[in-house]
Amino acid sequence: MNKRSIIYLILGFVLLAGTVGIFSSRFDLTKEKRYTLSSSSLQVLKNVQKPLMIEVYLDGDFPANFKQLQNETRFMLEEFRKINSNIDFKFIDPIKTKMSQDTLMAMGMQPSILPDMKDGQVRQIVIFPYVALKYQEFGSSVPLIVQQSGIDATEQLNKSIEYLEYNLISNIKSIAQENRKNVGILINQDELGPEEFQGFMQMALESYNAGPVVPEQGDELTQADIPKLKKMDALVIAKPRKPFTDGEKVILDQYIMNGGKTLWMMDAVNAEMDTLTRSKKIMAYPIDLNMNDFFFNYGVRINSALVKDVQKFALLRLVTGEVSGNPQYTSLPWPYFPLGIAENNHPVTRNINPVKFEFPTAIEILERPGIKTEILYESSPRTILKTVPNYVDLKELSKPDSIGVNERASDSKIFAVALNGEFSSAYANRSERNAYPDFKPKSTENRMIVISDGDVGRNKIIKGNPLPLGYDLLTNQQFGNEQFLRNALDYLLDDANLMELRNRNIEARLLDRQRIDNEKTNWQWFNLLLPLAIIGVLGALFFLLRKRKFA
């Protein structure tokens, strides 16, 4: 066998192997590398130690725009399976397999009903765009469609494709990780009760080990609680009403210095909507939690003036009349409930529903060396500050943009900030350090989030039953509070840098519909005649060459 024959044999084997799929390779030539998995995703996938089955309920007869989501999902799952043989997947048509909607809804899947035009008739198609993850005895459902209000269906599908990798990888990490991180809920400061905080707890337990941190001695944190705090990767402080003692502040300071992450939901003013609804008028007054110097050290000051946003606000639904004994409700603008609408690309706030704040106050940022401050939410430029003590009256609903007593127009005010960097202890040069064993004057790279509203993580309770976090029963609106706090925890505890995937931007290269309509016939004829012309030219060329050779 000569050298040329060996080369032909090798090339033939390579071609045959590629044809039957013994090995294959793909090249990502897109500008944004949309078909290349991130290093964070690769790390998560390689850590799946046992069989993971992914069931995709996105198969069957549905509109063409969902076909793109189906294809993108299939392609990504094929990549997952190549990286780790423990991962497998299958597509399921729940209609064809005659799965009952009750079974699917019991798995946490809500149906989507889509209109479809076929043969001149409009019909309704029911689909369940979800993924079910099954790992050992655990299971979870993952929505493939991003739930965000204020965008059309096309944009919603584009965003769903953008977040596909993050949605799948983050949920695979949650269900398959062997050691979950611990989240402690501080409860010794008269924080939110179990019923009021149930929505947050259910959300946190999906990805973390979450539970209360109860002081060992009395109702105050002491050094006896240090071993328990060291086991907590993050600490949540939700609407404390009792002042912190100096001893507690030293313990919390050292918890942060030793790498503990903190999520603060703080009220600086006492103003409750339940009381206002009953009495129509309340006196709002400042709350002294003895934490001003604590936050000042980290470059944050929570002021006590109430923020009224007369441009971005939630609606308050009240009884404004009665007809034949039936109450008549009206939704009115309530500037004390400003909406947090993300205006940047921070991964905590990007592309989620507006977050509802209730009687928030303003956060002032102070420069501190080594600490980077990122604004998560702020009010609109049409903001009014109300100095307290002061009255809050339901009559303000009639003129939400009017400036009352002890009120003044202001610029945008901050509601939530993320701090990251190397934090310095507030007690490094104070005598309190001597009472703390193994005192640490400075932290390594750390993070914290401060929110100037204690009710942002509070779910409503109707007749003793907790509602989903962020859901307003009267206006039937689902705000983004749950997703915001979920992202906040993920941001604080994200060692794999998965949150970077939330900032991934995939450009939608859409076709020009007008040009398609104008040139449709030309391109149809082009596609029909061009292959015939190529075949004719090749046939004529072959005939001429054959005639020349054998003539």
Side-chain angles (χ1 to χ4, degrees):
M1 184 179 293
N2 56 29
K3 185 176 181 181
R4 177 176 295 179
S5 299
I6 295 175
I7 294 175
Y8 287 156
L9 181 62
I10 294 174
L11 291 176
F13 174 76
V14 172
L15 180 62
L16 178 63
T19 303
V20 300
I22 295 178
F23 63 86
S24 62
S25 179
R26 290 169 173 165
F27 300 95
D28 188 355
L29 302 180
T30 59
K31 180 180 179 181
E32 64 271 17
K33 297 298 179 184
R34 65 183 297 175
Y35 299 113
T36 301
L37 297 178
S38 68
S39 58
S40 305
S41 299
L42 295 176
Q43 178 184 341
V44 171
L45 294 173
K46 291 177 181 177
N47 288 337
V48 178
Q49 302 297 325
K50 298 179 181 178
L52 169 66
M53 173 56 69
I54 304 175
E55 297 178 348
V56 186
Y57 293 85
L58 196 61
D59 199 11
D61 184 17
F62 42 75
N65 51 0
F66 275 84
K67 287 289 185 182
Q68 184 182 4
L69 179 61
Q70 181 195 53
N71 294 335
E72 295 284 349
T73 304
R74 187 185 302 276
F75 172 83
M76 189 162 292
L77 293 179
E78 288 175 351
E79 295 296 305
F80 289 3
R81 186 165 56 186
K82 288 180 182 179
I83 293 166
N84 192 332
S85 59
N86 286 324
I87 301 175
D88 199 4
F89 69 92
K90 61 182 178 180
F91 278 73
I92 298 175
D93 182 352
I95 306 301
K96 185 177 181 180
T97 55
K98 297 182 179 180
M99 295 183 66
S100 68
Q101 291 195 18
D102 292 339
T103 301
L104 294 168
M105 294 177 68
M107 296 169 62
M109 303 181 186
Q110 298 297 323
S112 296
I113 302 176
L114 306 173
D116 184 45
M117 176 72 73
K118 190 173 184 180
D119 299 330
Q121 297 181 347
V122 179
R123 58 174 182 159
Q124 288 186 336
I125 301 176
V126 179
I127 66 172
F128 290 83
Y130 281 81
V131 163
L133 304 178
K134 296 183 178 180
Y135 185 78
Q136 295 182 293
E137 68 273 18
F138 304 105
S140 66
S141 59
V142 182
L144 292 175
I145 303 296
V146 171
Q147 300 299 324
Q148 184 180 356
S149 60
I151 59 177
D152 59 26
T154 301
E155 187 178 359
Q156 190 176 29
L157 279 172
N158 290 336
K159 291 184 180 297
S160 299
I161 294 172
E162 282 185 354
Y163 290 155
L164 184 59
E165 181 179 349
Y166 172 77
N167 282 341
L168 293 176
I169 292 295
S170 60
N171 282 277
I172 289 174
K173 179 185 176 184
S174 297
I175 198 173
Q177 62 184 352
E178 298 295 331
N179 299 313
R180 288 190 167 197
K181 294 191 174 182
N182 299 320
V183 176
I185 314 298
L186 195 62
I187 63 170
N188 67 300
Q189 306 299 137
D190 294 336
E191 291 87 357
L192 293 175
E195 295 82 7
E196 298 172 305
F197 213 49
Q198 182 171 322
F200 180 92
M201 289 297 297
Q202 289 178 344
M203 174 271 294
L205 286 169
E206 292 176 5
S207 304
Y208 306 101
N209 297 323
V213 175
V214 183
E216 294 288 339
Q217 301 175 2
D219 59 352
E220 179 181 340
L221 289 175
T222 63
Q223 293 191 17
D225 299 301
I226 294 175
K228 184 187 301 181
L229 289 174
K230 286 183 177 180
K231 297 179 182 179
M232 299 298 167
D233 299 288
L235 195 61
V236 178
I237 303 92
K239 195 169 181 172
R241 298 176 178 89
K242 187 181 75 174
F244 289 80
T245 66
D246 292 336
E248 288 178 313
K249 291 194 292 185
V250 176
I251 292 175
L252 292 174
D253 174 88
Q254 285 302 292
Y255 171 78
I256 295 170
M257 293 306 110
N258 284 278
K261 311 299 191 296
T262 48
L263 173 58
W264 303 87
M265 293 176 261
M266 309 291 288
D267 272 350
V269 171
N270 183 19
E272 299 294 338
M273 194 64 215
D274 295 340
T275 306
L276 178 60
T277 304
R278 290 192 301 267
S279 59
K280 312 302 180 184
K281 184 177 182 180
I282 61 172
M283 171 63 74
Y285 57 88
I287 302 175
D288 183 12
L289 297 174
N290 193 29
M291 292 292 284
N292 290 339
D293 58 337
F294 185 89
F295 288 117
F296 182 84
N297 178 70
Y298 303 120
V300 169
R301 180 188 289 124
I302 302 178
N303 296 320
S304 60
L306 285 173
V307 175
K308 298 170 60 177
D309 193 331
V310 298
Q311 182 176 344
K312 300 186 302 184
F313 48 76
L315 297 176
L316 191 63
R317 192 167 176 82
L318 297 174
V319 177
T320 55
E322 185 176 309
V323 176
S324 301
N326 298 316
Q328 300 299 303
Y329 291 90
T330 304
S331 296
L332 301 170
W334 188 234
Y336 291 101
F337 284 5
L339 294 179
I341 300 175
E343 298 177 358
N344 53 38
N345 283 327
H346 197 282
V348 174
T349 60
R350 186 170 185 253
N351 291 332
I352 64 176
N353 282 340
V355 174
K356 181 182 178 182
F357 296 92
E358 297 187 9
F359 297 110
T361 58
I363 294 177
E364 184 180 351
I365 295 176
L366 311 170
E367 294 294 332
R368 292 292 180 267
I371 299 179
K372 179 183 177 182
T373 304
E374 298 172 299
I375 298 174
L376 301 180
Y377 285 118
E378 60 182 338
S379 65
S380 73
R382 296 185 60 192
T383 295
I384 298 173
L385 289 182
K386 178 190 282 287
T387 305
V388 293
N390 206 337
Y391 284 106
V392 176
D393 197 326
L394 281 181
K395 293 180 180 179
E396 297 178 53
L397 287 164
S398 60
K399 296 180 179 180
D401 56 350
S402 62
I403 298 179
V405 178
N406 293 328
E407 295 183 352
R408 60 180 176 86
S410 177
D411 54 3
S412 301
K413 295 300 178 184
I414 301 169
F415 300 144
V417 295
L419 310 176
N420 59 80
E422 297 180 355
F423 300 144
S424 297
S425 172
Y427 302 93
N429 300 315
R430 295 170 59 173
S431 59
E432 287 90 340
R433 65 172 296 167
N434 299 325
Y436 194 96
D438 301 323
F439 183 88
K440 195 171 183 179
K442 194 171 185 178
S443 75
T444 56
E445 190 74 18
N446 203 348
R447 292 176 174 179
M448 82 167 58
I449 289 179
V450 181
I451 307 169
S452 61
D453 175 24
D455 292 309
V456 70
R458 178 185 182 183
N459 55 255
K460 304 300 182 183
I461 302 174
I462 301 297
K463 296 181 179 180
N465 298 316
L467 297 177
L469 178 58
Y471 179 68
D472 189 332
L473 181 64
L474 293 178
T475 60
N476 195 29
Q477 283 186 279
Q478 179 64 56
F479 295 100
N481 295 47
E482 179 179 333
Q483 189 62 51
F484 167 51
L485 296 177
R486 184 195 303 273
N487 293 347
L489 283 180
D490 291 344
Y491 171 80
L492 294 174
L493 297 172
D494 181 25
D495 292 338
N497 297 320
L498 290 180
M499 291 298 291
E500 294 179 357
L501 296 177
R502 284 187 55 82
N503 273 347
R504 193 169 194 175
N505 185 30
I506 296 178
E507 183 179 351
R509 297 174 175 86
L510 303 178
L511 298 176
D512 188 338
R513 293 295 176 186
Q514 183 175 0
R515 185 178 177 186
I516 290 175
D517 293 337
N518 295 337
E519 303 178 11
K520 179 179 179 180
T521 303
N522 296 336
W523 285 107
Q524 286 176 337
W525 281 107
F526 179 81
N527 290 330
L528 177 65
L529 298 177
L530 180 62
L532 298 177
I534 293 175
I535 293 174
V537 171
L538 292 177
L541 181 62
F542 177 77
F543 176 78
L544 292 175
L545 292 175
R546 183 178 178 83
K547 182 177 180 181
R548 178 178 297 181
K549 181 176 181 179
F550 296 104

